[in-house]
Structure formats: structure tokens, C-alpha cells
Amino acid sequence: MNAVGKMLIGLHLGNGYGSQSGAWRMPGVDPESYTSFDIRVKQAQAAERGKFQFIFLPDGPGAVMTDIETESPVFNLDVMMTLAAVARETQYIGLVATGSTTFNEPFNLARQFKALDIMSHGRAGWNAITSSGEDVAANYGKRIPSSQDRYGRAHEAVQLIQSLWGSWGKDAWIHDQKSGQFAKKDQILPINLQGKYVGSRGPLYIPPSEQGQPIIFHAGCSPNAHQLAGRFANVVIGAAFTIEDARAQRNAFRAAAKSYGRDPDEIKYIAGLMTTIAKDKRTALDRRIQLGGSSLIQKFEYLQKMLGIPLDLSLINEPISELQLENARPSPYDPRSSNALKIARQGWSVLDILAHGVIDYHPVIAGPGVEAADHMQAWYEAGAADGFWISPDVNSDGIDAFVDQVVPLLQERGLFHKEYESKTLRGHLGVPDQYGIDPRV
């Protein structure tokens, strides 16, 4: 459990349609959601109605990673412009966006996120990551640097950016019209930092926000991620498929924070959860079959590898035979396999097994709201997560379904807050004050 004593919940806001590739074609979905900032604002307002602590916008300025002929791109048009639009139309919810340290200059990142923090009255968070794809590098006319160079640059960039954030003294802005003094000049100073990878003279000409400066997030689970997040981050966006895996990841980040002289409770581990909330399991699976379309058939091949048995495509609407299930063994190469076998043994058809989301990017809840609440409670109480970032299948009705059918259950169980107690993201997360660089690191 986290130090706030309550679960944290964030909303994953990607391309505007939802987490499933077929979301853009669902009845009731505006096919132009991809380019509508108004719809993105409405989705953020729905999450704020549910008292979510933040919305989270991933970003990957690489190739179009989908089949653009039939699917929308997975990312947002521009994460900072989207959050600026949302900032003007919401009051409480935290606004978190990804910004790569590999292909952005620290001064630009520092300025954009601090300006967003001012605009939102202290609700901004920066998901500081390194880019790892050659497709991303190609868009900048470069090759991907080595892991050592990417993370070396990242460690310097975060320190530089936090130094820039703190380069305008906390009490420097006077704006006294009578005396004519706008600011205390001796409190707004250059930082003059130059490392192996990045440097800046500074200062940044932006005063502190209501929370001082943005919160650092990090997404990833490698040893490099442990070091970067353990040193700088207050929140880690994770991916885990079992309580054991999530608990091990959370403990690794907490240990990394401790190794840098920080209190482990200063770092929150947020696990992913994909949701299809419906009145019953059958309705939810039918919705996911409609959403999945031919992509479910494409996953059929892979399901055989996960279970270690051959399957007959012509029998996709039949359960797997008892004899085959006796021979099935979960693949040691995919942590999702044991869950796939568990669902297969419940007697579902092969198509229904796939509709359960056994090959999705995070654990999937397809069923009534109580199933999602039970999953979240079990993980939270087992010390596997401080909270969850939710990816609804279809945003247009899936966010509201979660807010109306899952959030009240979590609140009744005393696991999730009923009201915002703060107006800043720092307050929502219960992380300590920080202005400028952390003197401990």
C-alpha cells in the first residue's frame, strides 16, 4: 500500500478511441475522435468525475506502428497541446505526458513542462524516458545511441531540467506595481551546467507553480529503469501480469530509491489494467469479439505457442478438448501463458479465450465492475501496486463505465478516495515537496 493510504488511479489516454484497435469503428464512436481536442477534454473530464489522480499520455514519435489502412495510430497528435487543452477545462486531475530525453533538448523539455505546470496550477507530470526504436531515431535523422549513452544522457537531462526548474528563486517574483519591482534579480540565476551529453546556461524564466515544479514519472522495468527511476522518479508506470511479478517490480524500484538515500514510499508503482466493463462476462466477451475482428484470428497462431499444443482453426468456436488440455504446458517465454491456460481450463471456446485478452499488453478485465474492483483490491493489498493506470477498450463509453461501476465499489471498500483533497498532482500522489534538484542525488 502507498503512504497516502489509498489507491492511486490514472487514465491512459492514447489516440482518443480506446486501447483496442477496432475502437474507432464501434457504434456510437465519433470516427474523427483522433483529431478532436474537444473529445479528449471530455474524456479527461470523465476521469476527473471519477476522482482519478491523473491522466497519462504515452508518446512515441516513431513510425506508424499500426496498419494505417484499417487502424488508427496508437499515439496522440501532440501530447503537450492535448494537455494544454485539458488543463483549461479541468480543475483537479493530474496531467502527465511522455517526453524523450534522447531526442529533445533539456531546455525545451524544461520550458514546456514548467509552462504546463503553471497553466494547470501545479498539475503537470513528466514521464521521462529514453527512446529505443530505430524508427524513432530515423525521424530525427539519427541512429539510436547505445543503451549506455541513452541512459547516461537521461541521468544528465533530468538533473539539468530540475536545475532549470529551480533556477527562478522560490520568492523571486515580486510583481509590485507600486514600487516598480518585477522580480528579485539576484534570485534568478544561470545554472551553467555542462555534462558529457547535455548542458545549459539557463536560467529558465518561469516562476514556481503551485506545486513548485512538475513530478517525474518513468515507464519501464529494466535495471536501467530501476536506476533512473530510483534516483529521480516519484511514479513508475509498470507492466506486470501476476501479483508476484508486480510485487517484485515494485520492490526493485523501492530498493533503488533507498539506494539513492530516498524513502521508498516516495516512489509509487502503478500497474496497468485494460478494461471491458459490461453487465456480465458474456456481454463483455461479445463486445471484445466485435472489437477484435480479424485481429483475434491473427492471434490464434500465437495462442498455440502459449499453450504448447496444436489447435484447429476450424474449431475456433469450440472449447479445447480435455485430452489436449492435459498435454498443455504454459510457455516459459511469456508470463501471460499460465493465465491463458487457466482460462482455457474453464471451458471457454478458443475464440472466447482470445476475447479474454490473454495476449494483450496488460491484464484484462472483461466482465462486471466487481471483477475489476476485486482484481485491484487483491493486487493493492498484496503490496503489488500503489495504484493502476486504466486503459478502457473504447473511451466513448468505457471511461464512464469504469467511473460508474468500479470506482464506487473501491470507495465503499475504503480503497479509493471520495474527494480530491488537493489541487496539485504532488498533493494527489502524496510525494514530498521538491524545488530544483534533489540534494540527495
Side-chain angles (χ1 to χ4, degrees), residues 43-318:
Q43 292 165 353
Q45 288 170 334
E48 187 169 78
R49 183 172 70 81
K51 315 299 179 194
F52 284 32
Q53 277 88 355
F54 62 93
I55 58 173
F56 174 76
L57 274 60
D59 197 15
V64 174
M65 296 196 304
T66 53
D67 179 359
I68 200 75
E69 180 77 27
T70 57
E71 297 174 20
S72 66
V74 293
F75 293 119
N76 206 273
L77 298 187
D78 182 90
V79 293
M80 299 310 285
M81 292 186 80
T82 298
L83 290 184
V86 170
R88 304 295 292 161
E89 301 290 339
T90 52
Q91 278 184 289
Y92 295 98
I93 199 161
L95 312 172
V96 185
T98 299
S100 166
T101 56
T102 309
F103 297 111
N104 288 296
E105 289 304 322
F107 191 86
N108 291 346
L109 286 171
R111 190 168 70 161
Q112 286 180 315
F113 279 94
K114 192 89 181 277
L116 177 67
D117 207 25
I118 295 281
M119 179 192 260
S120 63
H121 301 287
R123 294 187 281 139
W126 168 38
N127 179 35
I129 61 156
T130 69
S131 299
S132 57
E134 287 293 356
D135 60 330
V136 179
N139 283 345
Y140 294 92
K142 295 177 179 174
R143 299 296 305 271
I144 277 286
S146 70
S147 175
Q148 187 182 353
D149 284 343
R150 283 186 293 116
Y151 278 91
R153 180 182 167 102
H155 278 262
E156 287 188 6
V158 176
Q159 290 175 81
L160 186 61
I161 285 166
Q162 291 190 324
S163 299
L164 285 164
W165 285 342
S167 62
W168 183 302
K170 251 190 163 164
D171 308 307
W173 196 21
I174 304 297
H175 52 77
D176 185 333
Q177 290 176 321
K178 267 192 182 147
S179 74
Q181 185 177 17
F182 186 74
K184 293 180 182 173
K185 192 176 175 181
D186 61 344
Q187 289 189 25
I188 302 167
L189 301 168
I191 55 169
N192 291 323
L193 285 176
Q194 183 62 52
K196 181 180 172 188
Y197 300 97
V198 292
S200 178
R201 186 186 66 185
L204 196 66
Y205 42 85
I206 305 178
S209 73
E210 275 93 325
Q211 67 174 353
Q213 64 193 27
I215 306 289
I216 304 283
F217 280 59
H218 183 62
C221 56
S222 67
N224 280 325
H226 294 152
Q227 294 306 310
L228 190 70
R231 197 174 181 190
F232 302 112
N234 286 119
V235 184
V236 174
I237 299 291
F241 292 95
T242 65
I243 281 179
E244 296 72 32
D245 183 20
R247 194 193 286 123
Q249 285 189 38
R250 179 171 178 260
N251 288 342
F253 283 109
R254 289 172 64 83
K258 198 172 178 184
S259 75
Y260 281 106
R262 300 172 65 200
D263 179 342
D265 286 339
E266 290 177 33
I267 195 166
K268 315 293 181 193
Y269 179 79
I270 309 288
L273 186 63
M274 303 177 91
T275 57
T276 297
I277 305 298
K279 67 177 195 280
D280 54 48
K281 172 85 63 194
R282 183 69 260 164
T283 307
L285 292 176
D286 288 343
R287 174 173 161 119
R288 287 184 68 87
I289 289 166
Q290 184 184 357
L291 270 168
S294 60
S295 74
L296 282 183
I297 311 296
Q298 288 158 19
K299 290 174 178 174
F300 173 85
E301 288 287 322
Y302 189 71
L303 182 63
Q304 301 177 88
K305 291 178 183 164
M306 289 172 90
L307 301 178
I309 49 173
L311 297 170
D312 184 343
L313 188 57
S314 69
L315 300 176
I316 196 166
N317 291 310
E318 306 293 324

